[in-house]
Amino acid sequence: MFNEEEFLKVKEKALENHIPIIMDDTLSTIEKILKEKNPNKILEIGTAVGYSASCFAKNTNESCIIDTIEIDEERAKEAIENIEKIGVSDKVNIMIGNAVDILPTLNPGYDIVFIDAAKSKYSIFLEEGIRLINDSGIIIADNVLYKGYVMSDYNKHKQRTAVRHLREYIKEVTENPNLKTDILEVGDGLAISKVSKK
Ligand code: SAH
Ligand code: MG
């Protein structure tokens, strides 16, 4: 049983602690995709405290498995506790480590890949995502507009590297002939790439 009360507590605590969980409009957009696709296997890169993974668990069929990767051990431990409390630990499988190292060890077969971790690694995540995703699957990336910085001509030094990587990601998903991509101005910017490997 999905424990709505615990779920809301996790959301509230994450917001209080400035953990960058997916925004409400981002979630609604992804929920629509989940309804349409009815996935059996989801891969998430960037678990944080398990909020988005729990959202995916809530909005998918009983047998859908969500594999999710988190580099920060403390956060991963909290996520494991949270998915227990929320009652979705049978669907959510948390892997602790750097996704750059873990992704190459995974086998293909995902219907949806959700990228929501280090912006400087988005290109690597995309390459692995394409390898791991099923034909006609969907690769979703969060934060691709990064508070508008990605569309701005002038950015502070602090943001410049991330902006460069995110622009590179947008270029790659737009130019790849096997992907059909929409960039949506929901939340912090969402890239939705439909995969057709033929
Ligand atoms: N998807 C979550 C939020 C993720 S925040 C939600 O919406 O609820 C991004 C997370 O990615 C952080 O917790 C950060 O520790 C993790 N992360 C950053 N780089 C990573 C990497 N290389 N591999 C795995 N996790 C990473
Ligand atoms: Mg995000």
Side-chain angles (χ1 to χ4, degrees), residues 20-23 114-117 122 142-143 188:
I21 57 172
I22 47 169
M23 292 162 105
F114 180 56
I115 301 172
D116 191 18
Y122 269 34
D142 191 25
N143 310 95
D188 198 25

Side-chain angles (χ1 to χ4, degrees), residues 17-187:
N17 294 322
H18 305 287
I19 291 165
I21 57 172
I22 47 169
M23 292 162 105
D24 290 344
D25 56 347
T26 306
L27 178 60
S28 323
T29 305
I30 296 177
E31 276 174 7
K32 274 183 219 142
I33 295 172
L34 295 177
K35 274 203 192 95
E36 217 176 275
K37 277 239 64 98
N38 189 21
N40 288 313
K41 230 176 155 198
I42 298 176
L43 173 64
E44 175 181 72
I45 307 168
T47 317
V49 293
Y51 172 72
S52 53
S54 299
C55 295
F56 301 161
K58 182 184 181 183
N59 288 285
T60 49
N61 72 66
E62 243 171 72
S63 58
C64 179
I65 294 295
I66 298 128
D67 287 335
T68 179
I69 310 172
E70 175 55 50
I71 196 168
D72 182 314
E73 240 172 89
E74 285 303 305
R75 281 193 181 171
K77 278 185 200 152
E78 197 176 329
I80 291 168
E81 286 170 22
N82 287 340
I83 60 163
E84 285 284 344
K85 283 189 222 157
I86 294 169
V88 292
S89 55
D90 50 338
K91 295 179 74 173
V92 180
N93 170 33
I94 297 173
M95 293 174 262
I96 308 176
N98 190 337
V100 174
D101 304 324
I102 292 178
L103 290 168
T105 70
L106 302 180
N107 293 320
Y110 294 93
D111 302 306
I112 289 177
V113 171
F114 180 56
I115 301 172
D116 191 18
K119 297 176 181 76
S120 62
K121 302 291 185 324
Y122 269 34
S123 287
I124 298 173
F125 299 156
L126 176 65
E127 198 185 327
E128 279 299 311
I130 292 172
R131 181 182 72 81
L132 293 167
I133 198 140
N134 291 333
D135 197 18
S136 75
I138 300 178
I139 299 175
I140 305 171
D142 191 25
N143 310 95
V144 293
L145 298 178
Y146 192 20
K147 301 174 182 167
Y149 298 139
V150 168
M151 313 222 278
S152 164
D153 286 338
Y154 177 77
N155 284 303
K156 293 204 182 93
H157 188 73
K158 219 177 121 201
Q159 285 103 26
R160 238 174 259 161
T161 309
V163 165
R164 182 164 53 78
H165 284 111
L166 292 169
R167 284 184 183 154
E168 188 58 35
Y169 182 87
I170 292 173
K171 186 169 186 284
E172 283 170 6
V173 288
T174 312
E175 289 179 354
N176 187 321
N178 296 332
L179 302 177
K180 203 191 152 289
T181 298
D182 291 314
I183 309 287
L184 305 183
E185 282 183 59
V186 294

